[in-house]
Amino acid sequence: MARDTGLLIVPSKIVIHPSPSMASNSIFLLLFSLLSLLHLHSSAAQSSVKAVYWFPDNEFPASNIDSTLFTHLFCAFADVDPTTYQVTVASQNTNAFSTFTTTVQQKNPSVKTLLSIGGGGSADIKNHFSSMASQPNSRKTFIDSAINLARSYNFHGLDLDWEYLATDTDMTNLGVLLKEWRDAVVAESSNSGKATLLLTAAFYYAPKIESLSYPIDSITTNLDWINAMAYDFYDPAWIQAGLPPKKLVLGFPFYGYAWRLVNADNHGLFAPTNGEGTGSDGVMLYKQIKQFMAQNGAATVFNASIVGGYCYAGTTWIGYDDTQSISTKVSYAKGKGLLGYFAWHVAADDNWVLSQLG
């Protein structure tokens, strides 16, 4: 997740991932292996997860969310103050965040809410996390302020969205941060008599970022689960590295990527392109893709062997996840004993057709 976007696999997946070489050359087909699962215990606090992220600047108010379709809702994003390292909420989001839980529980009193901190799309965010996690005092400030904010806004948990850790030191400090955070929420629960806050994190699609390895032991011990941002890519190595299946929640994209074909008559997989298509940087929400299909009479193709679809009209080619691919992935995750799945993001769906699957 993040303040950016992506796509997922199961059992193999068309992946359209923006890059300079792709924009100037061709549509790429990336096939991915099935997840290989190893043994391990489940998350003691949670039997299954069906979640989605929401953020306030998408012109989709929290009151519009059909919370009956989900077990958990992530409210994104709180910030880390670069000077004090306290977790804060932008002034324009204070009302929406402070009322988020009460708003979504009007339709589903049992839905759990988590405040997501950080997000992608900015080097500053990454640097703020790195600096915060490097010292005991700043970690404590971050942890204490996050817990206080969660309680004051009635969230049931906290979600760390620290993306693209840059050094081995960052990875080591992440492990320490998670341990101290777990200790703090347990102590706070004991002192307050309230249920222990959930702790989750949105991480890279694989357990390594280039040569840097996530602290698997600390993640397994201290987080209730991770949201693997398996949007554009997926690597089964999270499980192979020792993460329990019941600690893994897979990410689904409620959007796709549009590309401009060199030749409208050559519109299959691997067809040459010469740039991004319609949308913002080529990214189109699922509901926008459906609108494009209807308005342009786009032809649609679903390839069962790669569990992915695309559509085309004129020189516009769009790769995306549709109801067939999402439902297959849901069934796969359930069949393999994963904790669940989540989507980025709720406002991108088209009349809840993707959210209703599973």
Side-chain angles (χ1 to χ4, degrees):
M1 180 140 23
R3 306 186 192 212
D4 47 10
T5 52
L7 184 63
L8 164 80
I9 56 71
V10 167
S12 301
K13 182 60 192 158
I14 294 177
V15 176
I16 307 301
H17 183 66
S19 68
S21 60
M22 183 172 189
S24 60
N25 292 297
S26 66
I27 295 168
F28 285 81
L29 172 66
L30 300 180
L31 300 180
F32 294 96
S33 302
L34 287 170
L35 300 170
S36 59
L37 299 177
L38 301 178
H39 64 285
L40 205 76
H41 60 82
S42 65
S43 172
Q46 195 61 47
S47 60
S48 64
V49 170
K50 182 181 179 182
V52 73
Y53 280 80
W54 171 87
F55 61 96
D57 52 343
N58 56 21
E59 299 181 355
F60 186 91
S63 58
N64 283 7
I65 300 173
D66 185 352
S67 55
T68 65
L69 299 173
F70 307 100
T71 62
H72 297 78
L73 294 170
F74 291 87
C75 180
F77 291 99
D79 304 306
V80 179
D81 187 287
T83 302
T84 67
Y85 301 112
Q86 290 186 334
V87 178
T88 63
V89 172
S91 58
Q92 67 268 24
N93 295 333
T94 299
N95 183 64
F97 280 41
S98 64
T99 60
F100 183 78
T101 298
T102 55
T103 297
V104 298
Q105 285 192 328
Q106 291 178 13
K107 296 175 183 176
N108 180 6
S110 65
V111 72
K112 304 300 182 184
T113 62
L114 294 91
L115 177 63
S116 188
I117 306 167
S122 168
D124 287 340
I125 296 173
K126 176 180 67 176
N127 293 336
H128 297 166
F129 273 124
S130 180
S131 181
M132 174 274 295
S134 67
Q135 298 295 327
N137 289 341
S138 52
R139 289 195 301 267
K140 186 177 189 306
T141 296
F142 170 84
I143 290 168
D144 290 347
S145 63
I147 293 172
N148 290 337
L149 191 58
R151 289 304 192 195
S152 65
Y153 285 1
N154 297 311
F155 285 102
H156 302 95
L158 292 159
D159 178 55
L160 178 70
D161 196 353
W162 179 4
E163 300 183 21
Y164 315 122
L165 289 80
T167 66
D168 285 323
T169 300
D170 279 348
M171 290 296 189
T172 299
N173 291 339
L174 171 63
V176 175
L177 173 67
L178 297 181
K179 171 64 166 61
E180 293 175 351
W181 209 351
R182 171 56 60 186
D183 290 344
V185 297
V186 170
E188 188 276 340
S189 175
S190 177
N191 292 332
S192 68
K194 298 178 181 179
T196 305
L197 290 167
L198 293 167
L199 287 184
T200 68
F203 286 150
Y204 194 57
Y205 71 89
K208 288 188 175 182
I209 302 178
E210 297 181 349
S211 62
L212 306 177
S213 297
Y214 278 97
I216 299 294
D217 289 345
S218 181
I219 289 170
T220 300
T221 301
N222 298 306
L223 292 179
D224 289 283
W225 72 81
I226 69 165
N227 292 334
M229 295 186 292
Y231 307 138
D232 300 299
F233 298 98
Y234 178 72
D235 188 334
W238 267 118
I239 304 300
Q240 296 167 353
L243 186 75
K246 285 296 186 181
K247 292 278 186 174
L248 180 62
V249 175
L250 287 182
F252 297 168
F254 283 1
Y255 60 88
Y257 292 112
W259 298 96
R260 187 171 62 250
L261 295 166
V262 171
N263 182 351
D265 294 326
N266 183 5
H267 44 65
L269 297 173
F270 301 104
T273 66
N274 58 9
E276 299 163 348
T278 186
S280 175
D281 297 325
V283 177
M284 295 184 67
L285 307 183
Y286 180 70
K287 61 186 178 184
Q288 295 172 333
I289 296 170
K290 296 294 287 186
Q291 292 169 358
F292 174 86
M293 292 177 184
Q295 294 170 359
N296 295 276
T300 61
V301 178
F302 180 81
N303 188 311
S305 65
I306 59 174
V307 195
Y310 62 91
C311 69
Y312 58 90
T315 58
T316 299
W317 190 103
I318 308 169
Y320 62 98
D321 271 16
D322 61 6
T323 54
Q324 288 178 277
S325 55
I326 292 291
S327 61
T328 301
K329 295 172 183 182
V330 169
S331 298
Y332 181 82
K334 289 181 176 180
K336 293 300 183 179
L338 305 185
L339 183 59
Y341 40 94
F342 77 95
W344 178 268
H345 56 86
V346 66
D349 202 354
D350 181 43
N351 198 29
W352 305 107
V353 296
L354 299 181
S355 300
Q356 292 180 52
L357 299 172

